[in-house]
Amino acid sequence: MDLTRFFADVDAQPWADLHHAYGSAADIPGHLRALAGESEEAASEAISELYGSILHQGSVYGATAHAVPYLARLAAAGHRTEDLLVLLGGIAEGGADEGDSDEAACRTAVAGQLPLILARIDAEDPGLRRAAAWAAAMTGAAGQVLPALRMRGKTETDPRVRAELLGAMAHLDPPGTAAEATGAIGAHEPGEVRIVALLACVDGGLPWGAAHHAAMLSLLPANDLVQDRLDLERNEPLQYVVEELLRRDTDADRAAAYTLLDAALRSAVPEARAEAVWAAETACLLSRSAPERLAGAVEALAADPADVSSAYSLLAKLGGRAAAAVPVLARLAGGEGDPADRALEALVAVAPDRAAPLLARDLERRPRALAAACGSLGGGTSGTPFPYDAVLLDAIRARLRGGGPGGNETIRLALLLGAWGSRASAALPELRSALPGAPRAVPKALVAICPPEHRETTAEFLTAAARTGPADGRLPAAAAVRELTGDTGPLLAAVADRLTPGGPAVQEAARLAAELGPEAVGLVPALRSALSGSVGERTSPQLDADAEIAAALWRITGDPEEAVPVLAGVLAEAEPTWMRWTLGRAARAAALIGEAARPLVPALEGLLDGRVQVPPVVLALHAIAPEHLDGPRAAALLLEAAERDDDAATALEALVALGPPALTPDHRRRLTDLAERDLRVRASGLEPGIAPADERLREQAREAARGLT
């Protein structure tokens, strides 16, 4: 390749007008020159920079597709060919097959370089053959790529290249590759090929039979067999197989998955058991029946303290069903340092009664266990409150008296005391002294533990905090006074003080004003002045605050003349892709207003094809103008939202509001499935909270199904 002409072409391109992850793409010519230069260090740095800019964490940009032909030409000329083929495959990997998105343009661009890529399928270097096979498959151009892969497969002898070829064919044609994969799972094949063949069998939709089960177990531990593969999605084979079988959501596939997991957890090979533990954790996040079905294998794990220490997270997910591990956990939790804290963290979930005295004994040095006991910072994510323990209460009081806690620890201690309620009343003095360290968490906890005879003095203390305490704790302190005594004076004053236009607490202050209703009529001028004024340039927090202010104005005055125009502005300005929750908040405010919010109906109807905002929008339309709702269509949209966990709780609430006439027999079947299926509906978020949140959602679905029959 004539590099002079090549770079003349490169320099003629409008790179400065194109953009990548870090802005202008004017730096791309320099990276291309480094790739073609003699310095290996500079070329390696250029590759790294390109991954960071034109393929940033899997995302592509306008400059990415423009760079593809130049990357391909450098690869064809022998400049960092393997690295560039892998980069091209990554650029194509996340692309769409059609449309005008950057992703589609990138895939099309890489597909346009297939002649250059496929020419390396027969390269002498096995690494080049592997990279070419993977990159070609990522284009999705099965018609061009599959014949070349199959032809190469007939003569390929390198096990790793054969594995990459088989994986590439399975990616392009899962059903069509299943037969070939089935023939490759036997012991006559190298392990690298057998494991990819098993993955291809799963991807091809084949039933998981005895031969697959036996082959998978014989290959464990399997992670090393795929460590060099370019397909990072399948780099933990046992976990991948279990997940895919569970996602099929059939009795036969579930049985196959749990039979495989049980056998792997009982393996005589420690590394195989370690892979099985991770796969079992994944099962717990996906499957409602996982804790019960995995409990039997815990006894086998509990026989070896080393296994228990590598399975803390799994044991915590199993909870009480991991009781067989309690003796080992308790012994490990009695040790020193972080290992003991991790063991105690698991014991909190498995046997909280056994965990409490161990936590009390060394409270200061058990931050993980304390976080688990209080349900982490958010509170309540663990599903059930940590049991009251008098010894632990004394330890908490001593810790608070010592003045040592700060930040998160104080918040967690306040959450734990608040969960115990009046049983923790002895800690009232210590909790009051902790207010400066956790001004938002302590007031609520004080209300929870305060006995009747101390309400007056506690209210006086909180009133002072609402006036002169830390700024971010004044609203919580004032709200606590109202809860203790019914006195709204401190809250009215605190809300007025925080209704500063553009201030950080406007949304919270407006919400509290709304709760006060007509009693907060004196706050109306402050609420009006707190509305954002930069129409067309408002941020999401500003729009959120305006929606709360609109709701407050309605709740206080009962006059829609001010609230409805404010909500109309929010609905018109909030961008549906990035401000879905803002739109949902505005829709809920509109639902409060009811029929008087009819001017908002066209804007709300236009949101019904969205995602997260659909449930509150249906609630709003049902409250404002039910005649505008097509009941069965609305029910279908709500069920779709619930099934993909887009504000599923609100979706179920809206289904109940629509009532039985809106549901077809198929809708009822789907609602029952949400409640009774094995796959979790809630499968994202912080891991400790996934199962409890899903159980709450499951019960809500059951109640909805009963109410809609």
Side-chain angles (χ1 to χ4, degrees):
M1 181 171 68
D2 185 338
L3 288 178
T4 300
R5 294 180 61 184
F6 174 81
F7 282 113
D9 185 15
V10 168
D11 292 337
Q13 303 306 310
W15 298 108
D17 297 329
L18 299 170
H19 292 84
H20 54 45
Y22 298 111
S24 169
D27 58 345
I28 287 182
H31 298 322
L32 296 176
R33 281 185 164 83
L35 289 170
E38 296 182 359
S39 169
E40 286 295 316
E41 181 179 353
S44 295
E45 184 177 345
I47 288 287
S48 177
E49 290 292 329
L50 288 168
Y51 269 104
S53 59
I54 66 173
L55 185 59
H56 182 74
Q57 297 179 353
S59 296
V60 294
Y61 308 87
T64 310
H66 208 78
V68 163
Y70 301 101
L71 298 172
R73 286 165 64 186
L74 285 174
H79 300 286
R80 300 298 291 246
T81 303
E82 184 175 342
D83 288 334
L84 288 176
L85 288 175
V86 174
L87 176 58
L88 288 169
I91 289 171
E93 185 177 13
D97 292 326
E98 55 187 22
D100 57 1
S101 66
D102 289 336
E103 290 81 5
C106 285
R107 175 168 282 190
T108 299
V110 178
Q113 303 302 318
L114 274 173
L116 295 178
I117 296 171
L118 289 173
R120 298 306 179 275
I121 289 284
D122 296 316
E124 182 177 350
D125 183 349
L128 288 180
R129 299 200 298 274
R130 292 173 58 237
W134 182 75
M138 292 304 102
T139 67
Q144 291 177 259
V145 177
L146 276 173
L149 296 178
R150 289 184 173 132
M151 181 65 69
R152 181 66 213 180
K154 293 178 181 179
T155 58
E156 183 60 61
T157 57
D158 186 287
R160 294 194 303 166
V161 180
R162 289 182 60 207
E164 205 69 62
L165 288 167
L166 183 58
M169 289 187 283
H171 174 81
L172 291 168
D173 182 17
T177 309
E180 183 175 347
T182 299
I185 66 173
H188 61 284
E189 291 283 6
E192 296 91 339
V193 176
R194 294 177 69 199
I195 195 65
V196 173
L198 285 167
L199 299 176
C201 288
V202 171
D203 289 338
L206 295 182
W208 188 263
H212 302 94
H213 176 88
M216 188 80 238
L217 290 178
S218 73
L219 291 169
L220 296 179
N223 289 358
D224 286 348
L225 296 173
V226 296
Q227 66 176 351
D228 293 329
R229 286 208 62 210
L230 298 169
D231 179 5
L232 300 182
E233 185 181 349
R234 297 165 181 78
N235 61 355
E236 293 176 330
L238 179 60
Q239 180 269 338
Y240 183 82
V241 167
V242 168
E243 180 173 350
E244 292 304 303
L245 290 176
L246 290 175
R247 288 193 185 281
R248 291 181 184 181
D249 202 21
T250 70
D251 290 340
D253 288 308
R254 268 190 297 278
Y258 286 117
T259 300
L260 178 62
L261 268 181
D262 187 85
L265 287 167
R266 299 174 189 273
S267 170
V269 182
E271 294 81 4
R273 296 197 297 273
E275 291 183 7
V277 164
W278 170 238
E281 283 193 59
T282 300
C284 288
L285 296 176
L286 284 174
S287 167
R288 289 166 168 168
S289 63
E292 181 179 353
R293 300 183 80 152
L294 292 171
V298 172
E299 292 186 20
L301 283 176
D304 187 340
D307 282 340
V308 171
S309 64
S310 67
Y312 289 149
S313 182
L314 171 61
L315 295 172
K317 290 178 175 64
L318 297 179
R321 292 183 176 87
V326 168
V328 178
L329 282 174
R331 186 164 69 252
L332 293 170
E336 299 294 332
D338 184 66
D341 190 18
R342 292 180 63 87
L344 186 56
E345 178 186 24
L347 190 62
V348 165
V350 176
D353 289 334
R354 291 285 298 273
L358 290 170
L359 181 58
R361 192 174 72 188
D362 208 3
L363 182 60
E364 181 179 356
R365 285 175 286 276
R366 297 293 181 261
R368 300 177 68 103
L370 175 60
C374 76
S376 81
L377 283 176
T381 57
S382 60
T384 56
F386 192 73
Y388 168 77
D389 183 87
V391 176
L392 181 56
L393 174 61
D394 289 342
I396 292 173
R397 295 182 65 191
R399 181 75 178 133
L400 291 173
R401 278 196 302 271
N408 290 348
E409 184 183 354
T410 303
I411 295 171
R412 287 165 176 155
L413 293 174
L415 287 170
L416 192 52
L417 291 173
W420 286 343
S422 60
R423 291 173 294 181
S425 61
L428 194 63
E430 292 83 7
L431 194 55
R432 286 176 54 175
S433 70
L435 180 68
R440 294 190 61 82
V442 166
K444 186 175 181 179
L446 284 171
V447 172
I449 73 170
C450 186
E453 63 270 21
H454 289 289
R455 284 184 181 174
E456 184 176 347
T457 56
T458 301
E460 291 174 358
F461 169 77
L462 288 168
T463 298
R467 292 172 180 162
T468 61
D472 63 338
R474 293 179 186 178
L475 287 173
V481 172
R482 178 191 178 210
E483 192 171 349
L484 276 173
T485 67
D487 181 6
T488 58
L491 184 55
L492 288 167
V495 168
D497 183 60
R498 303 299 278 173
L499 283 174
T500 305
V506 172
Q507 185 177 335
E508 181 185 10
R511 178 181 55 78
L512 290 168
E515 291 179 7
L516 289 169
E519 193 173 355
V521 67
L523 295 173
V524 169
L527 286 164
R528 290 171 179 156
S529 68
L531 286 166
S532 60
S534 304
V535 176
E537 301 177 359
R538 289 180 288 182
T539 64
S540 181
Q542 287 175 318
L543 292 169
D544 286 338
D546 282 359
E548 292 288 359
I549 290 171
L553 288 171
W554 164 255
R555 296 274 300 267
I556 294 168
T557 69
D559 183 357
E561 292 300 317
E562 285 187 291
V564 171
V566 171
L567 293 176
V570 174
L571 292 171
E573 192 171 335
E575 202 284 318
T577 301
W578 306 111
M579 299 182 180
R580 293 170 180 169
W581 294 107
T582 298
L583 290 166
R585 184 172 284 106
R588 280 196 171 274
L592 288 174
I593 298 172
E595 188 175 355
R598 279 184 175 271
L600 302 178
V601 167
L604 290 167
E605 288 180 324
L607 295 173
L608 282 180
D609 292 329
R611 288 172 66 87
V612 172
Q613 67 266 25
V614 163
V617 165
V618 170
L619 278 174
L621 287 170
H622 183 264
I624 298 166
E627 72 277 8
H628 282 256
L629 272 179
D630 178 336
R633 175 177 179 259
L637 291 172
L638 292 169
L639 284 164
E640 289 169 11
E643 288 162 349
R644 61 178 178 251
D645 193 24
D646 280 347
D647 200 4
T650 304
L652 292 172
E653 178 188 348
L655 273 176
V656 172
L658 288 179
L663 272 67
T664 67
D666 183 62
H667 293 155
R668 290 187 172 86
R669 177 194 60 76
R670 290 166 64 185
L671 178 57
T672 299
D673 183 60
L674 280 172
E676 306 305 334
R677 75 185 194 186
D678 185 71
L679 282 178
R680 295 195 186 281
V681 176
R682 180 67 47 82
S684 61
L686 296 175
E687 281 194 9
I690 288 177
D694 181 70
E695 287 303 318
R696 291 192 292 271
L697 194 64
R698 186 180 199 181
E699 186 52 40
Q700 185 185 0
R702 284 173 171 165
E703 291 178 5
R706 288 193 291 267
L708 291 169
T709 53

